[in-house]
Amino acid sequence: MRLDNLLAQEKISRKAMKQALLKGEILVDGCPARSLSQNIDTGLQELLFQGRIIRGYEHTYLMLHKPAGVVTANKDKKLPTVMDLLPKHLQSEQLYAIGRLDRDTTGLLLLTDNGPLGFQLLHPQYHVDKTYQVEVNGLLTPDHIQVFQKGIVFLDGTICKPARLEILSASLSHSQASITISEGKFHQVKKMFLSVGVKVTSLKRTHFGPWGLDENLQEGDYRPLNSQELANIRDFLRKSG
């Protein structure tokens, strides 16, 4: 939640906030706050206003293993959504997925009610890497690794940032690979492989920044983030504030 919104809930005036900020009297984990728009989670961080502890809203953070056939949305008139996979007590309009996965794509989704966090994690400024396991219907060669490293250009002129491709197995009719990108254009991974002459037949996201898919989490299951994963959230909040 934004720092100014948190302080407003404590009935602190905008003028008092600005004065305290300029004087270094708003501390987040012991360090002066950088701006009133800074994203704060008092469940993970200590917030002091002029020496007084502010205990605001504790956000929810979940990891979900998305199955195929489910859309990344809160509601859909025709298809099941990732929210339908959660128990009723967790379903809320404030909870949402950070970044979309196509209906036929499986793998890691992070769910939260911390709106600013999702915006920051997806913003090009932060270059958060996303890694996918890919299967394609043709041959991948070392030359493709170089093509991906240079940055693929689509037919419409769209330029993709350099991506890291690791070929795991390769044959004329079927290849497996791992690809890491730092952006999230529409159907980007599928289009990148089409541009080198192969079609993606299976796509699974395994990593989103420092968060990796729990191998023990079955498709359709979820769990709260563990202590290390929450520490990664706290570190990101500290660096991006």
Side-chain angles (χ1 to χ4, degrees), residues 92-113:
S92 93
E93 293 182 357
Q94 284 72 45
L95 196 69
Y96 72 101
I98 300 177
R100 299 176 62 86
L101 290 178
D102 298 339
R103 183 173 63 170
D104 58 346
T105 300
T106 65
L108 174 63
L109 268 181
L110 297 177
L111 306 175
T112 186
D113 55 359

Side-chain angles (χ1 to χ4, degrees), residues 64-67 85-86 217-222:
L64 181 128
H65 189 167
K66 179 190 173 299
L85 300 173
L86 303 178
L217 205 58
Q218 299 298 311
E219 287 192 10
D221 289 346
Y222 77 96

Side-chain angles (χ1 to χ4, degrees), residues 139-140 144 147-148 152 165 191-198:
L139 180 65
L140 292 175
H144 291 133
V147 172
F148 277 68
I152 287 176
L165 178 67
K191 290 179 179 179
M192 291 174 78
F193 282 97
L194 279 176
S195 71
V196 296
V198 293

